[in-house]
Amino acid sequence: MTPATSFNEREALVCQTARLIDDGKLYWVAGGGGPMYAVLLAQRMGYAPNAQYLTEDGVLAPQPLLPFDPIQTMVSARAGYRALQWGTMNTAQDYAALGLVDYGILNTLQVDQWGNINSTFLGEYPDAGRRFGGPGGADSIAAMCWRTILMTDQDRRKFVDRVDFISSPGFLDGSEGARERAGLPAGTGPWRVVTPWAMYDYDADRRLRLIGVSAWVTVDEVLAECEHKPQMAAEICVLEPPSEEELVVYRSELDVRGQTADAGAWIVYQDGRYVRAG
Amino acid sequence: MTPATSFNEREALVCQTARLIDDGKLYWVAGGGGPMYAVLLAQRMGYAPNAQYLTEDGVLAPQPLLPFDPIQTMVSARAGYRALQWGTMNTAQDYAALGLVDYGILNTLQVDQWGNINSTFLGEYPDAGRRFGGPGGADSIAAMCWRTILMTDQDRRKFVDRVDFISSPGFLDGSEGARERAGLPAGTGPWRVVTPWAMYDYDADRRLRLIGVSAWVTVDEVLAECEHKPQMAAEICVLEPPSEEELVVYRSELDVRGQTADAGAWIVYQDGRYVRAG
Amino acid sequence: MQTAMPPAVEYLRPDPDGFRAYVRDHKQRALTPRVMDEHEAVAKFVADGDYLVYDCNYLQRGPASLIREIIRQQRRDLWIGAKFTYVALGLLIEAGCASRADVGFFGSRGPGFSRALRDGRLKLYEYSNAVMTLRLRAAAQGIGFIPTRSFGGTDGYLWSAARTIEDPFTGLPTVVLPALYPDVAIIHVHQADVYGNARVFGTGIAHIDTALASKKVILSAEEIVDTEELRRNPGLNHIPWFVVDAVVPAQYGAYPGSCQGVYASDPAHVAEVFGAMTQDKLGAYLEKWVYSVGSHEEMLERHVGVKKLLELRRRETVREGYTA
Amino acid sequence: MQTAMPPAVEYLRPDPDGFRAYVRDHKQRALTPRVMDEHEAVAKFVADGDYLVYDCNYLQRGPASLIREIIRQQRRDLWIGAKFTYVALGLLIEAGCASRADVGFFGSRGPGFSRALRDGRLKLYEYSNAVMTLRLRAAAQGIGFIPTRSFGGTDGYLWSAARTIEDPFTGLPTVVLPALYPDVAIIHVHQADVYGNARVFGTGIAHIDTALASKKVILSAEEIVDTEELRRNPGLNHIPWFVVDAVVPAQYGAYPGSCQGVYASDPAHVAEVFGAMTQDKLGAYLEKWVYSVGSHEEMLERHVGVKKLLELRRRETVREGYTA
């Protein structure tokens, strides 16, 4: 694997997440963007050739025809191409309720120290603030898959002590057994948070913990973009940058329209180190 | 219509029931015998050309290929031929639960004054007596269709004060609202009982009531075959015997193997009246 | 952060026996034709104040032509089951049709939406897509409530009608949802016969449950096919005639969305409606695409055109699995 | 008439979280082949004491070859979900395999059955077909219980695990059923790939729910088809690979029943087994059809023969709807 020398932070996020994909496991991916790309990239890179994914409209293990037209990430012929099953939202949630879905992968607006996710409201609910779209499928993913992976940007407004509104459950108030007391399936919960700058897991007390940072940022820079300061792993590793091989697959087979390219900062390898371009 | 001069009591039962079929309504028929024949006969005779039926395995509005092989009355290609839908037992019960099925037609072992049905046990449940097959689909039919029609033999052991075991609900203890208190849908219940000898409905107090007898029996003969003596309608009519036209359709298109012919007594028209043969 | 205490939340009360009595008297179990145009269907079956659900949405194999007709007929005070939806809720709000919504997810908002919320012209109740779908599933089974393994512990739960009871068998705390029996459902299907027997190919959200759960059901259909054709493969007929009140022939009925396996979406139109939403120009969008025309067909004729329609079909290159 | 008071009824306790933990550790989400012969499948996945469900039954597109294999391997103390069934329960009792049954309906009994009941070798619990199916549906949704509009007021209800609670939204009395998560399910399907993705054509009882609800699932399949073939019409693939533990190739696996659209039933055999049941000659029946042969294929070879097999296919004259 050849470390890449020029890439976008969104691309880095997908590559980083792809490396987390566990072979032979089933993923419920939210929407049709980064989460789906992460599984497909892991398949094609051979990290997890036998990982499969499920979408909210009941597409199971497809061989999607990329790219999709805007918004046509579900209930569309290209997204569902050569799937092993076409179901509905209820088949998708049944599989997750039964414990048959290993991982969920989500995007979000806001996440807190206990991994709770907000996609509903910023401000003081219900009246003083800004309304967003609601949990969509994320609530059922975060509630019922065994482990949840969150893909998001590193932004201090996103990493907060307590989300303004729990749209999808993390460890709730963080107490032991809080999820079970709320009626959620035992033994489930947040597992990783991935941003272009950092990787987090959850410690034994179910608190968000920084475990790695990207090569182009320092730990302090990451912490500056966390309104809530996460727990710190004993050792904070430096995350491997995207590889050329990953980017070739990603750009030529997955994000073939280059939509990611407009969406994040560019990183380049210059003078022996990675830096933000321009 | 030409009154028939020679027929079997089982044939008479089907013809009598066919005349009860309401046009444009949906029937849940138990098994593949008399109840199905009654609806098909009503369709073909033009009594109810637009009545349709549903079976326990989710066959909806088929054009069955008769005859069926023994037992292959459900989950078979001939029974489900050219249906408007193939579902499962759950689709069938969902339609009934939703109030979309107008009538159910059932056979039974035992029926009581309140229309409760026993197909489980004769004797003192659980130990002292004889075990039968259980309610099957009859419980859901009797519980959730708006009106239930029972097809059975006229036998004093079948018509009892209180069934030995309520497998499928009639009016339960007969009190007003008993079905609703038990959680059953409001406004449903037994509607007619048809035997080769007689026709019953239920009076305002939900008790079985004799409303008609066949031409070859007297009211007293019918009552002799009722351990429980039913209420009596103000006027007990004499039921029209099967017509030649009905029997032609029934024998040539429905019971084409003549299975009914072995199963009941023969009635003949002799010397100006109907009598049991030989 | 939440400051207000969750109120006793308004929700559409499940009434299984009331539903039964309604359908007994109103749904046609006879195989009688029920084909009509969109104007008649909406005039007859969508009333002011109705709880309305659409399956899928304005941009994804949804009943887009029926949504436009509802706006054209200026229905008022609708309560929307807003799951898995993009601009549809925004259009209905802008047009003054919707005053309440049970939210699973609605993508794309904009200034008009914010004004409606601020002015109290719009009330929102919190659910999730899966929870809304389960509420419909419960109704499609004729029951009053259903347990779920999700939703517990969220703030959506607190601000919704969901409750927690003790599981009567295990004693464990169990979230239960009230069944949702909508007044009216609009669903776009690939094929229907004149009676309402219908097929959807490919994935969906909850089209079957939605059809069963709703007091009134309008289907828009890409194709009207002969009943004998449907009888050749009964395993594909998932919506039975006796739950359907109206069948509206509607080629390109999902436009500007795709109808999978038949035609692709129109990305330019998708961009136009998103742009109108965020730039507070939905009025102009509605004027052009809804009010200036009398029907879906007139819209296709005047604002879409043959060239585009041919292109949409040409761009949909997948057929596998979308035919009987 | 009932004299005894209904006891606290024994039932298989729903444990949704226990089920989840089991499938997490035991069900294979990777697409790995799981084809094996019936001997291996039953040896691996049917244990003494298991709660066993079969979809359909010995005479109607059921897993007849697997039922015979279970008898051949002499499993003991099985608890049978006996809905929509004819002679299967009687065979399992005669062979000494079954000691308990939750009854929806079982047609055909006989002296052996009566002896087993009288001697206490068989305990029965009372349900109905629809109620048993609903219990499986609840499990297939991952929940612990489900309401129903039937079963209330019956004596079956009194002698079952069903209970009545107050609907938390309407306050009305509501019958609830415990979800049924069987230990093992055996299901006969028209087509499966080597991973367990499977199709059933035509009607069924609860094959999808049964597959999802059960800890261990054995499919017998008329045809093993290529996965690529299944991908051509994903809308027909109703059982996903990750709920299936074993795929057993079994042409004529439903014999003596019909596999709809493929072959007819064998009425002579049906009469033979009914006759054996009522005349207390099931021992001889089992000797001939089960114990005297080592496998399903050997049974076809020795006791059915080519002529009969050809005849069964010839007599099934309907194809419409039974192919992709």
Side-chain angles (χ1 to χ4, degrees), chain D residues 22-57:
Chain D
Y22 181 90
V23 301
R24 178 192 55 203
D25 297 340
H26 292 86
K27 297 267 192 194
Q28 186 57 264
R29 267 85 73 203
L31 285 165
T32 51
R34 52 208 69 173
V35 174
M36 57 191 82
D37 67 22
E38 75 234 24
H39 182 86
E40 181 182 357
V42 169
K44 275 189 175 161
F45 297 112
V46 185
D48 288 352
D50 272 359
Y51 192 112
L52 171 76
V53 289
Y54 40 84
D55 195 60
C56 297
N57 60 60

Side-chain angles (χ1 to χ4, degrees), chain D residues 176-193:
Chain D
V176 291
L177 307 168
L180 175 60
Y181 291 89
D183 293 305
V184 58
I186 53 177
I187 303 168
H188 188 64
V189 302
H190 285 79
Q191 299 183 329
D193 69 7

Side-chain angles (χ1 to χ4, degrees), chain A residues 56 82 94 125 131 166, chain C residues 1 126 129 137 155 320:
Chain A
E56 198 179 331
R82 293 219 162 191
D94 286 345
Y125 187 89
R131 173 82 203 194
I166 301 181
Chain C
M1 184 185 299
E126 307 296 343
N129 286 349
R137 174 192 262 181
D155 288 324
E320 271 187 12

Side-chain angles (χ1 to χ4, degrees), chain B residues 56 82 94 125 131 164, chain D residues 1 126 129 137 155 320:
Chain B
E56 200 179 329
R82 294 219 162 191
D94 286 345
Y125 188 90
R131 173 81 203 195
D164 294 347
Chain D
M1 185 186 299
E126 307 296 344
N129 286 349
R137 173 192 262 180
D155 287 325
E320 270 186 12

